[in-house]
Amino acid sequence: LELKPDNPTAHMNLGGIYQAMGDIEESAESLQKALAMNPHLPGALYMSSMTLEDVNTAHSLLEKIEEVEQKTLPLSEISKIEFTKANCFHKIKYYKDASDSLKKANQLKLLYTPSNAVSLIERIQAIANKLTANEDPTSKKPCDRIFIVGVPRSGSTLLSAILNTNHLIKDLGESRALPKAIKGFISQTISSKRQNLEHFYADCIDETIPPGSITVDKQLYNFMHCHYVANHIPGAKIIHAKRNPLDNILSMLRANLIAGHNFTASAEDSAMVIIEQEKLMRVFKELFPQRFYTYSYEKLVNEPRTEARMLLAWLNLEWRESYLDFHNNKQVIKTASVMQARQPISNKSVGGWKNYCSLLEPARQLLLESNLFSAESLS
């Protein structure tokens, strides 16, 4: 911006940075500057729709969208416009219009980022077919590693935001350390002096960890590596983040997640991934019952103090009321859930899937047929 102060894209990107930092007012100001220079900038319109203050703001943004000439835009930008409309209609509670825009947005997204559900499900099933447990049941090493696993939009960012209020916690975010460590661990030759997985994992963490810290790794897809964690990292505990699967799928559809989470643009594919993930996690919990805590998003938002205390007791961490003031923490959040993590705990999204019944019906049928989830939660 020092070089080109009239660059709308730079102002837009600065707005995104401020959002991640929790500076919503600064973000809005930067996005307004971007749109003043280029009213037809889909990215700035989309980011503005993520922090809608009221119904009037949503209506105003919809009016701006109507002025955008879409014929020459790439699919990715048209998709952002539809996501923007969906967010505005959701704010106004025009759920039929929101559903239509959400469907269009994700259909467009699948054209330029095809779903990766098939390959992901094949990986999950391959792991399930060769699981063994060989952990040392006598190990009493204190917890110094926490892994939060699950599927995207399962409430994991809210959970990590609460944990991060503890000065002992070192947040690693969505780290790639564990897959890298496992690759190094299994590639060791028999003749070499073998090192344990904990050693490789520590080496793969690309930041300084203060002595006495407890690391929190929120790479959700580590759910496929839980057997390595349980078998080879004695001081690790695993938190399985779960929420109502239909609320979970709706949240994935609305989130416009980046490449790597391509399946989340399809309600049906999201349901199939959730089903396979749940099957695998149930096997893990049978093999390593002491290593897992199943965290319920619904319980946390409905009874935050009770659920948070239970989890912290399991982690052997002392309870403090400040855990529930996580939204005042200005730590940078690098996930699509950044806006939720900047607000006090709320249960307003619980049961929200019922406003999108038609859009989610194919996914609901798949979940029902799996017999893994209660009929009550799907009706």
Side-chain angles (χ1 to χ4, degrees):
L1 286 171
E2 289 180 1
L3 295 171
K4 295 183 179 181
D6 58 349
N7 185 329
T9 302
H11 283 287
M12 177 185 72
N13 292 337
L14 184 60
I17 292 168
Y18 279 131
Q19 278 189 1
M21 295 172 64
D23 293 332
I24 306 306
E25 291 183 6
E26 293 281 2
S27 173
E29 184 178 335
S30 292
L31 293 173
Q32 286 169 7
K33 288 179 181 178
L35 290 171
M37 297 171 186
N38 182 358
H40 303 162
L41 197 59
L45 291 167
Y46 172 65
M47 279 193 274
S48 297
S49 75
M50 295 173 66
T51 57
L52 293 170
E53 295 180 2
D54 49 42
V55 169
N56 291 333
T57 309
H59 279 296
S60 176
L61 195 55
L62 283 170
E63 291 175 2
K64 291 180 181 179
I65 293 169
E66 290 303 315
E67 299 173 1
V68 177
E69 178 55 61
Q70 299 186 35
K71 290 181 181 178
T72 59
L73 292 177
L75 292 178
S76 58
E77 297 295 90
I78 299 173
S79 178
K80 284 178 187 175
I81 289 173
E82 291 298 335
F83 276 116
T84 304
K85 290 166 64 176
N87 288 340
C88 291
F89 288 134
H90 183 85
K91 185 69 175 182
I92 303 168
K93 298 184 179 179
Y94 291 175
Y95 295 118
K96 174 63 171 63
D97 292 326
S99 184
D100 289 344
S101 289
L102 203 52
K103 185 175 182 178
K104 290 177 186 175
N106 282 296
Q107 285 176 335
L108 288 167
K109 189 176 176 182
L110 287 169
L111 293 176
Y112 62 88
T113 54
S115 174
N116 60 338
V118 172
S119 61
L120 187 56
I121 288 170
E122 287 176 350
R123 287 176 61 195
I124 296 170
Q125 291 175 340
I127 292 166
N129 291 334
K130 57 180 181 182
L131 282 178
T132 58
N134 61 3
E135 68 168 331
D136 179 5
T138 63
S139 175
K140 300 295 183 182
K141 184 179 179 182
C143 175
D144 58 0
R145 306 283 191 202
I146 298 172
F147 293 88
I148 301 175
V149 302
V151 294
R153 308 297 291 182
S154 55
S156 58
T157 298
L158 172 60
L159 174 58
S160 63
I162 291 172
L163 292 175
N164 287 343
T165 63
N166 188 321
H167 72 280
L168 293 176
I169 296 292
K170 176 62 177 177
D171 182 22
L172 303 180
E174 298 178 349
S175 170
R176 298 298 300 164
L178 184 61
K180 290 179 181 177
I182 292 170
K183 185 176 180 180
F185 176 68
I186 62 179
S187 65
Q188 296 179 98
T189 61
I190 297 176
S191 59
S192 66
K193 184 179 180 181
R194 294 181 65 83
Q195 296 177 320
N196 58 35
L197 180 59
E198 167 64 30
H199 175 90
F200 280 98
Y201 183 70
D203 281 350
C204 289
I205 295 173
D206 56 1
E207 51 189 297
T208 303
I209 307 300
S213 295
I214 302 171
T215 61
V216 175
D217 188 327
K218 201 179 77 69
Q219 174 51 254
L220 293 172
Y221 295 109
N222 281 339
F223 75 80
M224 291 183 282
H225 306 309
C226 287
H227 51 310
Y228 280 105
V229 174
N231 278 326
H232 301 289
I233 305 182
K237 289 194 172 185
I238 306 167
I239 302 172
H240 179 204
K242 292 181 64 174
R243 71 186 295 190
N244 178 292
L246 289 170
D247 278 336
N248 201 160
I249 293 170
L250 175 60
S251 187
M252 287 194 278
L253 290 174
R254 295 189 64 213
N256 188 21
L257 298 179
I258 60 174
H261 310 285
N262 305 19
F263 71 90
T264 62
S266 164
E268 296 94 319
D269 286 359
S270 295
M272 290 190 291
V273 170
I274 286 175
I275 288 166
E276 293 303 321
Q277 177 252 186
E278 179 64 20
K279 289 179 182 177
L280 183 61
M281 293 305 297
R282 291 189 181 193
V283 176
F284 282 143
K285 290 171 188 177
E286 288 180 8
L287 289 172
F288 313 102
Q290 304 304 316
R291 292 300 194 95
F292 285 89
Y293 185 96
T294 303
Y295 145 67
S296 164
Y297 173 80
E298 286 77 18
K299 286 182 180 178
L300 183 62
V301 297
N302 286 323
E303 301 177 71
R305 185 168 283 99
T306 300
E307 180 65 15
R309 289 183 78 117
M310 287 179 61
L311 172 60
L312 290 161
W314 182 75
L315 293 170
N316 294 318
L317 293 173
E318 185 179 349
W319 168 256
R320 294 194 308 269
E321 288 294 323
S322 58
Y323 279 114
L324 301 182
D325 292 329
F326 64 90
H327 52 283
N328 294 321
N329 190 341
K330 293 301 182 180
Q331 186 173 23
V332 174
I333 296 174
K334 297 171 282 188
T335 75
S337 306
V338 57
M339 291 300 104
Q340 293 89 326
R342 298 305 184 194
Q343 303 296 324
I345 291 177
S346 168
N347 63 0
K348 65 181 180 180
S349 67
V350 174
W353 71 268
K354 295 177 182 179
N355 296 314
Y356 294 81
C357 286
S358 296
L359 181 65
L360 295 171
E361 182 56 25
R364 192 180 79 88
Q365 289 300 321
L366 288 169
L367 293 166
L368 278 171
E369 292 166 7
S370 74
N371 294 317
L372 293 172
F373 308 94
S374 70
E376 181 184 2
S377 68
L378 302 175
S379 62

